[in-house]
Amino acid sequence: MLFASLVVIGHAFVIAMRDPTLEPHIFYHYTFSYMAVNMFFIASGFLVTKSMVYRGDTPSFLSARALRIFPALVVHVIFVMIVIGPLATSLPLKAFFSSPDWYLQPVKVLTFYKTGMVMPGAFEGNAENFGSAPLWTLRYEVLAYIATLGVFSLGLLKRKWMALAQFILPSIAWIIFTQLNLFENLPATLNNMCRFGIAYGLGATIYAYRDRLTFHWVSLFVLLALSWMFRSTPVVEVIMNLILAWVVFKLAYIRAPRFAFLQKLPDLSYGIYIYHWCVLQMLFHWMPDLSVLTLFVLGFPPTVVLAALSWYIIEKPMLKSKTRFANWLRDIGLKQRKPSGAMLLD
C-alpha cells in the first residue's frame, strides 16, 4: 500500500503540473513512481518465485497468477469505459459509444496491446488524455510470471545460481545497452524488460538466498556510497534496485509487534494502483486549477474506496477459487508438471 501510495503522489504531480517531466526526482534522476513500481517488481520477484517453488506445478501457479491480475483488471476496464469515459468525453454519447476507440478497449487492454485507455473525446482539457495510464506495467508483470513458469518448466530453478542469473543477465544487458546508447534505436519494450527484469530478478535472487542474507545498516551505507560513485553511469540503475530491495525487506521483516494489526488490513494495493489515475484525471477534468497537494488529498479517499470495493467484491472472492480453477485447467488438459527433485539447492 505504501508503494501504491507513492505512485499516486507521483502521478498527482504529473496530472496537476501538466507535464510528466515535472514529477520530483527524489534519488538522483529517479521519481516517486519509478522507484515505487520497481519496489513492486522486487517484492513480486520474491513472492512469485516463492509461489512457484511452493506450488510446484503449472495449473496451480497459473490459477493463482491469473486470478490475481485479470478479474480486477476486467472490472476496472469496464468501469473506466462506462463511468469515467462518458463523464470525461466532449463528444455526444452516441458518437462516444459507437467509436471503435471505445468498444475495442477491452481487446486492447486485456491483450496488453495498448493499455492507456485513450477514449474518444475524453480528457481533452487535461495534459494527459489517458483513461488509465498505470496499466502499462502489468504487461511486464505478466511477462515476468511467464518467465518464472518458463524457468521452472525447463528445470532452471534447481540451483540457487539459476535464480541469481535472473538478476545478473538483465543487469548486464541494461549496463551495456545504456552505455552504448542502443536503447534509443530499439523498441521501448526492450528497455522496460531490462528495467523490470533487474528488479524482478533481484527479488527472485533474494528468495533463493534468503537463508544467507542479512540486511545490516552498514550494507545500506555502502550501497549509498556506491550509488554516488556511479551516479553518472548505467550501473546506478542496478545499485538503486539493491538499495530499494534493502528498504523493502528491512521494512517487511522488521521486528515490530506493535504493528501486527497491519497484517489484518485488506490488500488494497492493486486496487489503489489501477484506480488512482482515473480518479485523479476525473477530478482534474472537473477542477483544472487544483494544486498537486489538493489533487492528492481529494483523490486518495475515493481511490481507497474503489480499491476496497475491488478487493471485497472481486479480488478476494476470485482468489478463493484458485484451487477450483487449477482443477479446471487440469481437466481441460493442462499437464501438471512436478519438479524431478528439490529446487533452489546450493
Side-chain angles (χ1 to χ4, degrees), residues 278-298:
C278 66
V279 172
L280 297 181
Q281 279 279 76
M282 202 67 246
L283 287 171
F284 199 71
H285 173 72
W286 287 329
M287 297 174 282
D289 295 325
L290 289 178
S291 67
V292 174
L293 178 59
T294 307
L295 180 61
F296 175 78
V297 171
L298 292 178

Side-chain angles (χ1 to χ4, degrees), residues 82-328:
I82 67 174
V83 177
I84 299 297
L87 291 174
T89 187
S90 60
L91 298 179
L93 291 183
K94 182 177 180 180
F96 176 78
F97 287 122
S98 62
S99 171
D101 287 333
W102 179 78
Y103 61 75
L104 289 179
Q105 285 299 324
V107 176
K108 293 179 179 179
V109 176
L110 299 178
T111 60
F112 302 109
Y113 171 60
K114 287 185 178 180
T115 57
M117 297 199 70
V118 178
M119 294 173 290
F123 299 118
E124 289 183 338
N126 292 17
E128 302 283 349
N129 63 346
F130 296 116
S132 196
L135 301 185
W136 70 275
T137 63
L138 299 182
R139 174 191 301 135
Y140 301 97
E141 183 76 7
V142 171
L143 287 174
Y145 297 165
I146 295 171
T148 296
L149 179 60
V151 296
F152 165 80
S153 299
L154 294 172
L156 299 178
L157 281 180
K158 292 183 178 180
R159 300 290 175 180
K160 292 181 178 180
W161 66 264
M162 295 175 177
L164 177 61
Q166 298 175 44
F167 167 61
I168 297 296
L169 293 178
S171 297
I172 293 174
W174 175 276
I175 293 170
I176 293 174
F177 277 60
T178 305
Q179 187 67 35
L180 298 179
N181 295 319
L182 298 179
F183 281 133
E184 297 180 2
N185 301 315
L186 294 171
T189 300
L190 183 60
N191 182 307
N192 290 319
M193 287 179 67
C194 287
R195 169 193 166 183
F196 294 129
I198 294 171
Y200 188 90
L202 177 56
T205 298
I206 292 173
Y207 177 74
Y209 289 93
R210 64 195 183 281
D211 57 334
R212 297 183 180 180
L213 295 175
T214 58
F215 293 85
H216 197 278
W217 287 98
V218 173
S219 60
L220 175 62
F221 293 126
V222 170
L223 288 171
L224 289 171
L226 288 172
S227 72
W228 176 257
M229 292 171 58
F230 291 98
R231 65 189 182 280
S232 300
T233 73
V235 179
V236 72
E237 181 79 16
V238 180
I239 300 173
M240 179 270 295
N241 278 286
L242 290 169
I243 293 171
L244 294 181
W246 190 97
V247 173
V248 167
F249 290 99
K250 192 69 173 179
L251 288 175
Y253 291 100
I254 192 171
R255 292 181 179 274
R258 61 185 179 279
F259 296 139
F261 73 94
L262 291 174
Q263 297 180 0
K264 299 178 182 179
L265 294 178
D267 184 4
L268 305 185
S269 58
Y270 185 43
I272 291 173
Y273 184 77
I274 62 178
Y275 278 99
H276 77 274
W277 179 274
C278 66
V279 172
L280 297 181
Q281 279 279 76
M282 202 67 246
L283 287 171
F284 199 71
H285 173 72
W286 287 329
M287 297 174 282
D289 295 325
L290 289 178
S291 67
V292 174
L293 178 59
T294 307
L295 180 61
F296 175 78
V297 171
L298 292 178
F300 196 73
T303 298
V304 172
V305 170
L306 288 171
L309 292 173
S310 176
W311 171 252
Y312 285 112
I313 298 175
I314 308 300
E315 298 168 55
K316 189 176 181 180
M318 293 304 297
L319 289 172
K320 290 181 179 179
S321 304
K322 289 185 290 187
T323 301
R324 186 163 62 250
F325 186 43
N327 289 335
W328 179 80

